[in-house]
Amino acid sequence: MVTFIPFGERPNRDGVIYALQLLKRNKLIDDYIIVEASRVELLPERVPRDRAYIIGEHLATYGIVEKLRPPALISVDAHTDLMHDYLDHGSWLAYALEKRLVERAAVMAPVLMIPTTERTQLWTRRVKVFPATLRSRKVRGKWRAYKNFQTNSIEEIMGEAKKYLGKDVYLTVDMDVLRPEYKIARFQHGELTLEELLQILEAIKENFNIVAFDIAEVSDRLRRSRLGKKAFFEVFQLLMG
């Protein structure tokens, strides 16, 4: 079964329903459920234990993880979602780690990693970040490069992630990880092509047991984007296969 969660602002809600219609029209699903909630706190009691979720605002992943309590999580996203000021779509992973809804996490392919204000803290405990491009951070007074998809092989990154996370993971894929020409992201976009994203997802499938997954930040921009539809179809079919 596939669970559709039209959560968030209207563009996200409309986008999830449109994605459902697309998948039905192309005979890619037949068994599904729609779960609605006005607040993320209501999701854990409403969502079923499923294998696949299509969601609007990425904050909905927090509610799913609270229900499933997976041992580890991989987020493929243009953002780290590790801001630690208040619970929303930019901080859900930080709070999931803080509340121990998940013990460990890895964020793959982000490009936007800097806190938005001086008061905003970035959560760093029990999580590894593997940026899309070369990025550095200060460790004990010295600048060190993150392992990243620009200068490290996918095999190296998967090896380190597997050593850190273990075998079983929940996977969340934020479609804004793709480049701007896919016309999916409502706000900032990522730097991956569809081919690069599929390579990363293939490697995750080969190296981990995906206990469940979601495709996040589906919005009504999908309706007007030929490349966006293609990307959505291919990601969905890869993860369902």
Side-chain angles (χ1 to χ4, degrees), residues 7 26 28 37 40 44 56 70 75 87 94 97 109 132 148 157 176 189 192 194 212-213 216 219-220 237 241:
F7 182 82
N26 287 273
L28 292 175
V40 71
S75 177
L87 179 60
L97 287 161
N148 63 86
I157 290 172
D176 72 10
H189 59 80
L192 296 186
L194 175 58
F213 72 87
S219 82
D220 62 358
Q237 290 179 289

Side-chain angles (χ1 to χ4, degrees), residues 169-186:
V169 298
Y170 180 92
L171 172 64
T172 176
V173 182
D174 188 325
M175 295 301 287
D176 72 10
V177 78
L178 291 167
R179 293 168 61 87
E181 58 262 33
Y182 293 90
K183 296 181 181 175
I184 289 179
R186 291 183 61 205

Side-chain angles (χ1 to χ4, degrees), residues 10-180:
R10 183 172 179 178
N12 288 121
R13 298 197 304 271
D14 290 350
V16 170
I17 298 304
Y18 180 69
L20 167 59
Q21 294 166 351
L22 268 182
L23 293 173
K24 285 173 64 179
R25 192 183 310 148
N26 287 273
K27 300 188 183 339
L28 292 175
I29 58 166
D30 47 24
D31 190 15
Y32 67 89
I33 186 174
I34 300 172
V35 174
E36 298 195 60
S38 58
R39 304 193 317 275
V40 71
E41 295 84 0
L42 300 174
L43 282 177
E45 64 185 35
R46 297 184 183 182
V47 295
R49 292 184 175 274
D50 207 343
R51 180 191 170 200
Y53 302 86
I54 308 297
I55 67 177
E57 187 178 312
H58 211 167
L59 176 57
T61 301
Y62 182 91
I64 298 168
V65 169
E66 185 173 350
K67 175 68 171 238
L68 300 184
R69 301 291 178 119
L73 178 147
I74 294 176
S75 177
V76 181
D77 194 337
H79 310 78
T80 61
D81 292 344
L82 292 171
M83 304 304 148
H84 194 235
D85 41 13
Y86 54 87
L87 179 60
D88 70 352
H89 63 91
S91 64
W92 69 267
L93 182 52
Y95 282 91
L97 287 161
E98 181 182 51
K99 303 286 187 186
R100 292 195 177 269
L101 306 182
V102 60
E103 284 300 317
R104 293 181 180 230
V107 184
M108 297 190 178
V111 293
L112 298 152
M113 303 169 62
I114 308 302
T116 52
T117 71
E118 290 181 3
R119 292 179 299 171
T120 304
Q121 295 182 340
L122 194 69
W123 179 273
T124 58
R125 298 195 292 279
R126 307 195 324 279
V127 60
K128 284 187 178 290
V129 179
F130 302 97
T133 55
L134 180 60
R135 294 295 178 98
S136 299
R137 58 179 170 169
K138 218 169 200 179
V139 180
R140 292 187 290 276
K142 294 183 179 180
W143 287 97
R144 298 184 185 277
Y146 285 92
K147 279 200 171 175
N148 63 86
F149 287 92
Q150 184 177 17
T151 61
N152 299 94
S153 70
I154 289 181
E155 290 75 21
E156 286 179 282
I157 290 172
M158 292 301 156
E160 182 163 327
K162 190 172 179 181
K163 199 161 41 175
Y164 184 68
L165 299 174
K167 184 70 173 173
D168 296 335
V169 298
Y170 180 92
L171 172 64
T172 176
V173 182
D174 188 325
M175 295 301 287
D176 72 10
V177 78
L178 291 167
R179 293 168 61 87

